[in-house]
Amino acid sequence: MRFKSEIFNLHEKIYESTAKRAQELFGESSKDLQSYFKEQKKISAREFEIATHADIFNKIENSDIIFIADFHTFDRNVYNLEKIILHLNEKQLNFTLALEMVSHNNQKYIDSFLDNHITELEFLELINYNRSWRFPWAHYRKVFELAKTYNFKIIALNSRGSLNDRDNFAAKRICCSLERYSEESSSQVSSSLHKIIVFFGELHILPNKLPLCTQNYIKNTHLEKINITIIHQNIDQVYLKLKSKNIENTIVRFNENEFSIQTSPPWIKYDSVIYWFENFTDDPDFNIHEYIIEKGFKIFGGSTIQNFQLILDEILHSLKLDFFEKDKLSDFDLYDHTNLEYVQTITQTIKHTQLKTFFEYLLSQGLAFKVYDHKKYYSVYYSVNRFAHLAGVHLFTLLIEKINSESSKISDNCSSAIPSLEGRLIEKNRSKRFLVFLQMTMISYFCTKIINPHRKCDMYIDIVNNLKLPNSKLSRRQKKYHIMAISILDNNIDINLLFKDHSLQAYYEVTKIIGKFFSELLFEKMCNIDYEFSVQFIKTIFFTKIIDYDIFIYIKDLLLGDNEYKKTHKREF
């Protein structure tokens, strides 16, 4: 059995449990909603073919109305919308964005917000966001920021009534807008010069729902030859079919006018449903001010430890890591933003200046990390990816403890003289310090790939382009870290010399770039070979000892030896 097959079996179990849990939280659906679910299941079972980014972008460029599926609790769908918006802007194509998330009665507040006449907080309060929508604002904020930056309009589509009533109302509003833009485009019969992107719930954009309603309304206008494209996202059945054929995330095409972007495993979106139900519903004290401050996130419910333990157990099972003591595996605690003051207090007690500055940096950036000198792990908020990342850090911490324990038994020195994780981060030998940071990053990112294989990171071309592109958002310091990372990737450089006079932050940021890239390449290699061999290889590389320079060179030659790495880039979706 291949490593990929074993991971697929794991994913099926996770999918079944999260989907079941999400359905339980939804409860019994209305007949109206049941009919939409039934139609979705039927539509999703159709045959499809693999398409390319060029296929979908070409279709978007030549369409007048583009329906894109929203899964309200899942930020990945909005991220893909942003990609399409940026593409259309790059092609200098005119478009308007139509959103389900705001009621049509609040159109004036959208206009005022985009014109900077009201603040973000005023906008959210005026549209009564915490009652009218309540799905994480952090997901949608970027879309409004893009509208301000690139000066495109946003129109509100939501209304009251049955699902069908809402579809009909939205369709009428879309057609009225399209007709108006057509009249404004210098007597053009078709409005091909101005598009409308419709971001609406995934059940509504099924071909015979909102798109069909829109086509029916178009018949009663002077508009002709209106091209409509439907873009679904992350359909469960499509994911399972692709996985059974060992095809990774991709774009599929059902017919000439209908696609699906598959960029995430279905359990990740169901996890977002569970998260939302446990934190945003049935919360009479929900506060929009607090909501914004926390960037759209609140803490999990009382099962946080169990959620983390579940992720940890799945990673242990997948990699067959049976040599860690059970009591030590469960010896941890999790802290979130509600414990921030306590974590800050611990940080202030750090006597080593470099370490103290480093942990203050981790806190200030909202990163997930092991609390100094404690078996506690901190994250501002929790998610599947962050749980998997912290599980990797936890395993690396236990590995160091195991190595220290074994060393103390064969050494005349007392165990307290053997450096802990924090002690290894301030190794006097800069090369060893670099390798500790690198191993921790590689393990933690590899763990996230096991749980969420669709996770992406910057690949070689992205790392280089971050420096070259004129619109790069990197700070001067970040650019320096990228230059250091490229130097290590491309050359057999003296690590000790490279990091001379650099802070721990530099080690962290440089190894984050390299470590994620290495683990991405390694994960792909492991997925295409025998499972038992893959597991043994990962255990040998990651979980036998602290990586030394010889092992680093071996890993580097294995992953980068043929120079093909210089052609790698991050997936578009």
Side-chain angles (χ1 to χ4, degrees), residues 141-196:
R141 178 194 281 123
K142 184 63 182 297
V143 172
F144 284 84
E145 291 174 351
L146 289 174
K148 290 183 178 184
T149 301
Y150 298 117
N151 196 31
F152 60 82
K153 294 181 179 179
I154 294 179
I155 58 175
L157 295 182
N158 215 356
S159 61
R160 293 182 178 274
S162 67
L163 296 178
N164 187 60
D165 290 340
R166 291 171 57 212
D167 285 346
N168 275 290
F169 180 88
K172 184 176 180 180
R173 193 160 168 80
I174 291 166
C175 290
C176 288
S177 298
L178 197 61
E179 198 168 21
R180 184 173 68 254
Y181 294 136
S182 176
E183 292 170 355
E184 294 172 356
S185 61
S186 305
S187 70
Q188 298 244 353
V189 176
S190 170
S191 62
S192 58
L193 293 179
H194 198 109
K195 307 175 185 301
I196 294 186

Side-chain angles (χ1 to χ4, degrees), residues 198-213:
V198 182
F199 193 56
F200 223 88
E202 63 177 15
L203 293 175
H204 293 275
I205 73 156
L206 298 173
N208 64 347
K209 303 302 180 186
L210 178 55
L212 180 60
C213 292

